[in-house]
Amino acid sequence: MAREYKLKPKQNAGTQSGIDYRAELNDQQYAAVTSRPGHALVIAGAGSGKTRALTYRVAYLLDQEVPAKSILLLTFTNKASREMLERVKELIPQDTSDLWGGTFHSICNRILRRHADELGFTRNFSILDTDDQKSLMKQLIASAKIETKNRRFPKPDVLLSIFSLSENTKTSIEDIIDANYPYFEEWLDEIILLKRNYTSKKLETNCMDFDDLLLLALKLLKQDEDLRQLYQRKFRYVLVDEYQDTNATQCELIDLFVGKKNSLMVVGDDAQSIYSWRGADMGNILTFHGRYPDACIYKIETNYRSRPEILELSNAAIKANVSQIPKELRASREKGSMIPAVIPLSDPRAQADFVTQRIQDLIDEGIEPNEIAVLYRAHYQSMEVQMELTSRDIPFQITSGLRFFEQAHIKDVSAFIRFVVNRRDEISFKRMAGMLPGIGPKSADNLWRAWVALPISKQEEPPLAFSEYLLEFKVPKKASAHWEQLCYTLDELVTRDGFQMPSEMILSITGGVYDDYMRESFDNFEQRKQDIQQLMQYARGYTDINEFLSQLSLMSTADGDPKANRKEEKNEDAVTLSSIHQAKGLEWKVVFLIWLADGMFPIKKIIETENNDQLEEERRLFYVALTRAKDELYLTYPTLNPRSYTGEILQTPSRFFDDFSQDLVEEWQVHSGW
DNA sequence: GTTCGTTGCCTTTTT
DNA sequence: GGCAACGAAC
């Protein structure tokens, strides 16, 4: 396989001083899009530079002396907004620190931190992540004493997704169950009751979950007209990336920020809508014109990213979908030296072997490792490749399912901080207490009851010496020494006039109790200890404890965990392993898409539902994966899956292969050399 | 009555 | 490899 790769060193286009919006815009439309006043909707295909169009508009606005503080930039990850602003700075030397940019969640968090008291919360509210939600729900199910012996009651995470879907699509619980969970219909009353308990518990414990951040911000702005006008006057220009993945709440929030006077620009691609399970509604794009009749709608069908061979395949693959805005993407690049490869392998081991060996070859040919990605449908599918890369000493970075801050030991440490900051945070208190030997759920609950019985537990200010109260509590004998230690540790987290610095808090917690706990609970103690060091390092950048805690909850892996962000460890030359969802918006020269067996992608569950909408979403996901590649694309699947617990099973290639002509790909036969 | 260790079952995607 | 259910130990 002869290849001609003459790779130039990576350079950032457009870093020259002086700004010419047309300079690197191959398409006249861009200039029009970025500079036109009023509303705009850009429907554009993959790799057409949607994000670039947004970036240019920000630069343009700043160049027109629009103050940065009157721009609101909503993106899918915080990292995306950071990168866009960096790019703006390259284009135009203006200070963008006043600009509000980030995810819906982080923007709503900022607003709520200022005004949460209007909703019955305090500004120190805690943010519940999925894990916190689950343990809260588990408690609520237990205390509701539902008779589940004979009939199966939905598990906490199922309940939570019912609630979330109901909120995000503005559909009643009843209708959601009717449509998606008919087998739980008999539990309708209990489910509705739990929903009510869940909501009131969050208020009582001063906690918000991810949905609340959006919903409550929306509620706040709807109910308080002065506040609404304040923000409407502030954000004169609203820009939204990945518009196809907004849900009803986000859509309404945008419309509310824009009001009657402000200017809105959104970009999106219906073919890349992959979050409907989270309530995302493509309808938001389709109804855009109805809500903004004077908006200009642009369609960009030029792809600047991929070789024509890859694009042709992608076009063909997505054509099988019925519900879509038809687009025919044209490649602006020249033909490359290979057409996408399809590689059947005997089993997952062989697949991993092939992928890693090919990666090694590419690196030897001079491709930078960070220009290579391995993508898959589900995180667990990356196992074998991870092991193989490790054994061959090829550096890789993985966007795991668990975010850095979601790992148990990180959450343990922050539980202390969260409780001290928000004294009503039951979940954090119980997590903290439960770490002590001899204290399980029951004793933790008793301790919590003793705590809430004290009036001091409801007050916000001032910080107090926790030991004064907590030392009196009755704890199991086995735990008493540890309990004392814990109380004094809590005392160290506050100062006379406020909270200790975040990094100091972590130091106190590890020194006071957590090191001991970690040593006896985890076999990979050293590794976790290092993570905590990272956390402490990261905390140094923060003085405000609420800001630090918000960041922990709202930062996703895609935003880069602090590990990856540390300069000396920044893995410039690592291969990327990522789920397709997390690869959204990114691109690499070489992409491997693995586990393309029917039942693995599309996943079995969706095949079994025989729901065509879901299958189409799965196909869009496939499309997203294909269009990440710039130059080379490898599609692999194992024909045998020995790891299945039903024993070895034969696997057929993904049904997505049936959607395109086999001329568009070349099949590679891999023979084991020895 | 509660905690803690062991076995067996199942594995989507994320702010 | 993680979590629920179960049964043994405290």
Side-chain angles (χ1 to χ4, degrees), chain A residues 249-295:
Chain A
T249 317
Q250 293 166 327
C251 183
E252 206 176 335
L253 268 167
I254 295 167
D255 293 347
L256 196 146
F257 282 132
V258 175
K260 291 216 165 62
K261 292 198 180 123
N262 298 331
S263 160
L264 171 67
M265 171 170 168
V266 305
V267 305
D269 177 8
D270 58 292
Q272 293 185 65
S273 166
I274 52 176
Y275 281 89
S276 71
W277 48 273
R278 208 169 83 181
D281 185 4
M282 270 204 281
N284 294 342
I285 289 189
L286 303 174
T287 59
F288 188 85
H289 199 249
R291 280 175 293 127
Y292 299 94
D294 62 330

Short mmCIF file of all heavy atoms in Angstrom, two decimals, chain A residues 249-295:
data_model
loop_
_atom_site.label_atom_id
_atom_site.label_comp_id
_atom_site.label_asym_id
_atom_site.label_seq_id
_atom_site.Cartn_x
_atom_site.Cartn_y
_atom_site.Cartn_z
N THR A 249 -36.08 23.22 26.29
CA THR A 249 -35.70 24.23 27.28
C THR A 249 -34.63 25.16 26.73
O THR A 249 -34.70 26.39 26.89
CB THR A 249 -35.13 23.53 28.54
OG1 THR A 249 -35.94 22.42 28.85
CG2 THR A 249 -35.09 24.49 29.69
N GLN A 250 -33.63 24.56 26.10
CA GLN A 250 -32.54 25.38 25.56
C GLN A 250 -33.05 26.31 24.48
O GLN A 250 -32.65 27.48 24.40
CB GLN A 250 -31.45 24.47 25.02
CG GLN A 250 -30.76 23.70 26.14
CD GLN A 250 -29.91 22.56 25.64
OE1 GLN A 250 -30.22 21.92 24.63
NE2 GLN A 250 -28.83 22.28 26.34
N CYS A 251 -33.95 25.79 23.66
CA CYS A 251 -34.53 26.59 22.60
C CYS A 251 -35.26 27.79 23.19
O CYS A 251 -35.10 28.92 22.74
CB CYS A 251 -35.47 25.71 21.77
SG CYS A 251 -36.18 26.54 20.37
N GLU A 252 -36.03 27.52 24.23
CA GLU A 252 -36.79 28.60 24.85
C GLU A 252 -35.87 29.63 25.51
O GLU A 252 -36.12 30.83 25.45
CB GLU A 252 -37.74 27.98 25.89
CG GLU A 252 -38.96 28.83 26.14
CD GLU A 252 -39.93 28.16 27.11
OE1 GLU A 252 -39.92 26.92 27.22
OE2 GLU A 252 -40.69 28.90 27.76
N LEU A 253 -34.80 29.11 26.12
CA LEU A 253 -33.83 30.02 26.73
C LEU A 253 -33.23 30.96 25.69
O LEU A 253 -33.11 32.17 25.92
CB LEU A 253 -32.70 29.21 27.38
CG LEU A 253 -32.86 28.84 28.85
CD1 LEU A 253 -31.84 27.79 29.23
CD2 LEU A 253 -32.70 30.06 29.75
N ILE A 254 -32.87 30.38 24.56
CA ILE A 254 -32.28 31.21 23.50
C ILE A 254 -33.27 32.29 23.08
O ILE A 254 -32.95 33.48 23.05
CB ILE A 254 -31.92 30.35 22.28
CG1 ILE A 254 -30.82 29.36 22.63
CG2 ILE A 254 -31.49 31.22 21.11
CD1 ILE A 254 -30.62 28.28 21.58
N ASP A 255 -34.51 31.85 22.80
CA ASP A 255 -35.52 32.81 22.34
C ASP A 255 -35.73 33.91 23.36
O ASP A 255 -35.93 35.07 23.02
CB ASP A 255 -36.85 32.08 22.08
CG ASP A 255 -36.72 31.12 20.90
OD1 ASP A 255 -35.72 31.22 20.16
OD2 ASP A 255 -37.61 30.27 20.72
N LEU A 256 -35.63 33.53 24.64
CA LEU A 256 -35.83 34.50 25.69
C LEU A 256 -34.67 35.51 25.78
O LEU A 256 -34.88 36.70 25.97
CB LEU A 256 -35.99 33.74 27.00
CG LEU A 256 -36.57 34.45 28.19
CD1 LEU A 256 -37.38 33.46 28.99
CD2 LEU A 256 -35.46 35.01 29.04
N PHE A 257 -33.47 35.02 25.61
CA PHE A 257 -32.32 35.93 25.62
C PHE A 257 -32.40 36.90 24.44
O PHE A 257 -32.04 38.06 24.54
CB PHE A 257 -31.01 35.15 25.50
CG PHE A 257 -30.57 34.51 26.79
CD1 PHE A 257 -30.18 33.19 26.82
CD2 PHE A 257 -30.52 35.24 27.96
CE1 PHE A 257 -29.77 32.58 27.99
CE2 PHE A 257 -30.09 34.65 29.15
CZ PHE A 257 -29.73 33.32 29.16
N VAL A 258 -32.87 36.39 23.31
CA VAL A 258 -32.89 37.21 22.11
C VAL A 258 -33.98 38.27 22.18
O VAL A 258 -33.79 39.42 21.77
CB VAL A 258 -33.08 36.32 20.86
CG1 VAL A 258 -33.23 37.18 19.62
CG2 VAL A 258 -31.90 35.39 20.72
N GLY A 259 -35.14 37.90 22.75
CA GLY A 259 -36.22 38.86 22.87
C GLY A 259 -36.62 39.43 21.51
O GLY A 259 -36.57 38.74 20.50
N LYS A 260 -36.98 40.70 21.52
CA LYS A 260 -37.42 41.30 20.26
C LYS A 260 -36.31 42.07 19.57
O LYS A 260 -36.37 42.34 18.38
CB LYS A 260 -38.58 42.25 20.55
CG LYS A 260 -39.86 41.51 20.97
CD LYS A 260 -41.08 42.23 20.42
CE LYS A 260 -42.32 41.35 20.49
NZ LYS A 260 -42.66 40.99 21.89
N LYS A 261 -35.31 42.45 20.34
CA LYS A 261 -34.37 43.42 19.78
C LYS A 261 -33.01 42.85 19.42
O LYS A 261 -32.28 43.43 18.62
CB LYS A 261 -34.15 44.54 20.80
CG LYS A 261 -35.38 45.38 21.01
CD LYS A 261 -34.99 46.71 21.66
CE LYS A 261 -36.22 47.58 21.89
NZ LYS A 261 -36.38 47.96 23.28
N ASN A 262 -32.65 41.75 20.02
CA ASN A 262 -31.27 41.30 19.84
C ASN A 262 -31.07 40.48 18.58
O ASN A 262 -32.04 40.07 17.93
CB ASN A 262 -30.83 40.50 21.06
CG ASN A 262 -30.85 41.34 22.31
OD1 ASN A 262 -30.67 42.56 22.23
ND2 ASN A 262 -31.11 40.74 23.44
N SER A 263 -29.83 40.21 18.29
CA SER A 263 -29.50 39.50 17.06
C SER A 263 -29.06 38.08 17.38
O SER A 263 -28.28 37.85 18.30
CB SER A 263 -28.38 40.27 16.34
OG SER A 263 -27.74 39.42 15.43
N LEU A 264 -29.56 37.13 16.65
CA LEU A 264 -29.26 35.73 16.91
C LEU A 264 -28.66 35.07 15.68
O LEU A 264 -29.11 35.27 14.56
CB LEU A 264 -30.56 34.99 17.28
CG LEU A 264 -30.50 33.46 17.38
CD1 LEU A 264 -29.64 33.04 18.56
CD2 LEU A 264 -31.90 32.88 17.53
N MET A 265 -27.63 34.30 15.90
CA MET A 265 -27.11 33.49 14.81
C MET A 265 -26.89 32.07 15.32
O MET A 265 -26.22 31.85 16.32
CB MET A 265 -25.77 34.05 14.32
CG MET A 265 -25.06 33.12 13.35
SD MET A 265 -23.65 33.93 12.58
CE MET A 265 -22.84 32.54 11.80
N VAL A 266 -27.51 31.10 14.65
CA VAL A 266 -27.32 29.72 15.06
C VAL A 266 -26.78 28.92 13.89
O VAL A 266 -27.08 29.22 12.74
CB VAL A 266 -28.64 29.08 15.57
CG1 VAL A 266 -29.25 29.90 16.67
CG2 VAL A 266 -29.62 28.89 14.44
N VAL A 267 -25.98 27.92 14.20
CA VAL A 267 -25.51 27.03 13.14
C VAL A 267 -25.77 25.59 13.55
O VAL A 267 -25.75 25.26 14.73
CB VAL A 267 -23.99 27.20 12.86
CG1 VAL A 267 -23.65 28.63 12.54
CG2 VAL A 267 -23.17 26.70 14.02
N GLY A 268 -26.07 24.77 12.58
CA GLY A 268 -26.35 23.38 12.90
C GLY A 268 -26.47 22.53 11.65
O GLY A 268 -26.51 23.04 10.54
N ASP A 269 -26.51 21.24 11.88
CA ASP A 269 -26.65 20.29 10.78
C ASP A 269 -27.59 19.20 11.25
O ASP A 269 -27.26 18.45 12.17
CB ASP A 269 -25.28 19.70 10.44
CG ASP A 269 -25.37 18.66 9.34
OD1 ASP A 269 -26.46 18.50 8.76
OD2 ASP A 269 -24.34 17.99 9.09
N ASP A 270 -28.76 19.13 10.62
CA ASP A 270 -29.74 18.14 11.05
C ASP A 270 -29.19 16.72 10.94
O ASP A 270 -29.55 15.84 11.71
CB ASP A 270 -31.02 18.26 10.23
CG ASP A 270 -30.75 18.11 8.75
OD1 ASP A 270 -30.09 19.00 8.18
OD2 ASP A 270 -31.17 17.09 8.17
N ALA A 271 -28.28 16.51 9.99
CA ALA A 271 -27.73 15.17 9.79
C ALA A 271 -26.83 14.76 10.95
O ALA A 271 -26.42 13.61 11.06
CB ALA A 271 -26.96 15.10 8.48
N GLN A 272 -26.47 15.72 11.80
CA GLN A 272 -25.58 15.39 12.91
C GLN A 272 -26.29 15.47 14.25
O GLN A 272 -25.65 15.60 15.30
CB GLN A 272 -24.37 16.32 12.91
CG GLN A 272 -23.47 16.11 11.71
CD GLN A 272 -22.21 16.95 11.80
OE1 GLN A 272 -21.39 16.78 12.67
NE2 GLN A 272 -22.10 17.90 10.89
N SER A 273 -27.60 15.40 14.23
CA SER A 273 -28.34 15.43 15.48
C SER A 273 -28.27 14.06 16.15
O SER A 273 -28.82 13.08 15.65
CB SER A 273 -29.80 15.81 15.19
OG SER A 273 -30.59 15.52 16.31
N ILE A 274 -27.57 13.97 17.26
CA ILE A 274 -27.33 12.67 17.89
C ILE A 274 -27.68 12.66 19.37
O ILE A 274 -27.22 11.83 20.12
CB ILE A 274 -25.85 12.25 17.72
CG1 ILE A 274 -24.92 13.36 18.18
CG2 ILE A 274 -25.57 11.87 16.28
CD1 ILE A 274 -23.43 12.98 18.14
N TYR A 275 -28.50 13.62 19.80
CA TYR A 275 -28.81 13.70 21.22
C TYR A 275 -30.31 13.69 21.51
O TYR A 275 -30.74 14.24 22.52
CB TYR A 275 -28.17 14.94 21.85
CG TYR A 275 -26.71 14.76 22.15
CD1 TYR A 275 -25.74 15.07 21.21
CD2 TYR A 275 -26.31 14.25 23.37
CE1 TYR A 275 -24.40 14.88 21.48
CE2 TYR A 275 -24.98 14.06 23.65
CZ TYR A 275 -24.03 14.38 22.71
OH TYR A 275 -22.70 14.19 22.99
N SER A 276 -31.10 13.06 20.67
CA SER A 276 -32.53 13.10 20.88
C SER A 276 -32.90 12.36 22.17
O SER A 276 -33.90 12.67 22.81
CB SER A 276 -33.28 12.51 19.70
OG SER A 276 -33.10 11.12 19.66
N TRP A 277 -32.09 11.39 22.57
CA TRP A 277 -32.35 10.66 23.82
C TRP A 277 -32.23 11.58 25.02
O TRP A 277 -32.62 11.25 26.13
CB TRP A 277 -31.40 9.49 23.96
CG TRP A 277 -29.98 9.84 23.70
CD1 TRP A 277 -29.35 9.85 22.50
CD2 TRP A 277 -29.02 10.27 24.67
NE1 TRP A 277 -28.05 10.26 22.67
CE2 TRP A 277 -27.81 10.53 23.97
CE3 TRP A 277 -29.06 10.46 26.05
CZ2 TRP A 277 -26.66 10.97 24.61
CZ3 TRP A 277 -27.90 10.90 26.68
CH2 TRP A 277 -26.72 11.14 25.97
N ARG A 278 -31.67 12.75 24.79
CA ARG A 278 -31.54 13.72 25.88
C ARG A 278 -32.54 14.85 25.68
O ARG A 278 -32.46 15.88 26.32
CB ARG A 278 -30.11 14.27 25.84
CG ARG A 278 -29.58 14.72 27.15
CD ARG A 278 -28.11 14.97 27.03
NE ARG A 278 -27.82 16.30 26.50
CZ ARG A 278 -26.60 16.75 26.29
NH1 ARG A 278 -25.57 15.97 26.53
NH2 ARG A 278 -26.38 17.95 25.84
N GLY A 279 -33.45 14.63 24.75
CA GLY A 279 -34.48 15.64 24.53
C GLY A 279 -34.21 16.58 23.38
O GLY A 279 -35.02 17.46 23.08
N ALA A 280 -33.06 16.43 22.72
CA ALA A 280 -32.74 17.31 21.60
C ALA A 280 -33.81 17.15 20.52
O ALA A 280 -34.30 16.07 20.26
CB ALA A 280 -31.38 16.98 21.03
N ASP A 281 -34.16 18.27 19.92
CA ASP A 281 -35.27 18.27 18.98
C ASP A 281 -34.87 18.98 17.68
O ASP A 281 -34.68 20.18 17.66
CB ASP A 281 -36.46 19.00 19.64
CG ASP A 281 -37.69 18.95 18.77
OD1 ASP A 281 -37.64 18.30 17.70
OD2 ASP A 281 -38.69 19.58 19.15
N MET A 282 -34.73 18.18 16.64
CA MET A 282 -34.40 18.74 15.33
C MET A 282 -35.43 19.75 14.88
O MET A 282 -35.17 20.61 14.05
CB MET A 282 -34.32 17.61 14.30
CG MET A 282 -32.97 17.00 14.15
SD MET A 282 -32.88 16.27 12.55
CE MET A 282 -33.76 14.75 12.82
N GLY A 283 -36.64 19.60 15.45
CA GLY A 283 -37.72 20.51 15.11
C GLY A 283 -37.34 21.97 15.35
O GLY A 283 -37.85 22.87 14.68
N ASN A 284 -36.43 22.20 16.28
CA ASN A 284 -36.00 23.57 16.55
C ASN A 284 -35.42 24.24 15.31
O ASN A 284 -35.61 25.44 15.09
CB ASN A 284 -34.96 23.60 17.68
CG ASN A 284 -35.55 23.15 19.00
OD1 ASN A 284 -36.77 23.15 19.17
ND2 ASN A 284 -34.69 22.76 19.94
N ILE A 285 -34.73 23.46 14.50
CA ILE A 285 -34.20 24.01 13.25
C ILE A 285 -35.34 24.23 12.27
O ILE A 285 -35.45 25.28 11.65
CB ILE A 285 -33.17 23.03 12.61
CG1 ILE A 285 -31.89 23.01 13.44
CG2 ILE A 285 -32.86 23.45 11.19
CD1 ILE A 285 -30.75 22.26 12.78
N LEU A 286 -36.22 23.22 12.19
CA LEU A 286 -37.28 23.28 11.18
C LEU A 286 -38.26 24.42 11.45
O LEU A 286 -38.82 24.99 10.53
CB LEU A 286 -38.01 21.94 11.12
CG LEU A 286 -37.09 20.74 10.83
CD1 LEU A 286 -37.85 19.44 10.92
CD2 LEU A 286 -36.44 20.90 9.47
N THR A 287 -38.46 24.75 12.73
CA THR A 287 -39.41 25.81 13.05
C THR A 287 -38.73 27.17 13.22
O THR A 287 -39.38 28.15 13.59
CB THR A 287 -40.17 25.49 14.34
OG1 THR A 287 -39.22 25.34 15.41
CG2 THR A 287 -40.97 24.21 14.22
N PHE A 288 -37.46 27.21 12.99
CA PHE A 288 -36.71 28.45 13.23
C PHE A 288 -37.30 29.62 12.45
O PHE A 288 -37.50 30.70 12.98
CB PHE A 288 -35.24 28.25 12.84
CG PHE A 288 -34.35 29.40 13.23
CD1 PHE A 288 -33.80 29.46 14.50
CD2 PHE A 288 -34.05 30.42 12.34
CE1 PHE A 288 -32.99 30.51 14.88
CE2 PHE A 288 -33.24 31.48 12.71
CZ PHE A 288 -32.70 31.52 13.98
N HIS A 289 -37.60 29.33 11.20
CA HIS A 289 -38.09 30.42 10.35
C HIS A 289 -39.42 30.97 10.84
O HIS A 289 -39.68 32.17 10.72
CB HIS A 289 -38.21 29.94 8.90
CG HIS A 289 -38.24 31.07 7.93
ND1 HIS A 289 -39.36 31.39 7.22
CD2 HIS A 289 -37.31 31.99 7.59
CE1 HIS A 289 -39.11 32.45 6.47
NE2 HIS A 289 -37.87 32.83 6.68
N GLY A 290 -40.22 30.09 11.41
CA GLY A 290 -41.50 30.54 11.96
C GLY A 290 -41.30 31.48 13.13
O GLY A 290 -42.04 32.45 13.31
N ARG A 291 -40.28 31.22 13.93
CA ARG A 291 -40.04 32.06 15.10
C ARG A 291 -39.26 33.32 14.75
O ARG A 291 -39.38 34.33 15.43
CB ARG A 291 -39.30 31.24 16.18
CG ARG A 291 -40.24 30.33 16.98
CD ARG A 291 -39.51 29.44 17.95
NE ARG A 291 -38.70 28.47 17.22
CZ ARG A 291 -37.42 28.29 17.43
NH1 ARG A 291 -36.80 28.99 18.33
NH2 ARG A 291 -36.76 27.39 16.73
N TYR A 292 -38.46 33.23 13.71
CA TYR A 292 -37.69 34.40 13.29
C TYR A 292 -37.90 34.62 11.79
O TYR A 292 -37.03 34.33 10.98
CB TYR A 292 -36.20 34.21 13.59
CG TYR A 292 -35.90 34.01 15.06
CD1 TYR A 292 -35.80 32.74 15.61
CD2 TYR A 292 -35.75 35.11 15.90
CE1 TYR A 292 -35.55 32.56 16.96
CE2 TYR A 292 -35.50 34.94 17.26
CZ TYR A 292 -35.40 33.67 17.78
OH TYR A 292 -35.15 33.51 19.12
N PRO A 293 -39.07 35.17 11.44
CA PRO A 293 -39.44 35.25 10.02
C PRO A 293 -38.45 36.07 9.19
O PRO A 293 -38.28 35.81 8.00
CB PRO A 293 -40.81 35.93 10.04
CG PRO A 293 -41.29 35.86 11.44
CD PRO A 293 -40.10 35.73 12.32
N ASP A 294 -37.80 37.04 9.82
CA ASP A 294 -36.90 37.88 9.01
C ASP A 294 -35.49 37.30 8.96
O ASP A 294 -34.59 37.94 8.44
CB ASP A 294 -36.87 39.30 9.59
CG ASP A 294 -36.32 39.32 11.00
OD1 ASP A 294 -36.52 38.31 11.72
OD2 ASP A 294 -35.70 40.32 11.40
N ALA A 295 -35.31 36.10 9.49
CA ALA A 295 -33.96 35.54 9.52
C ALA A 295 -33.51 35.12 8.13
O ALA A 295 -34.32 34.69 7.31
CB ALA A 295 -33.93 34.32 10.44
#
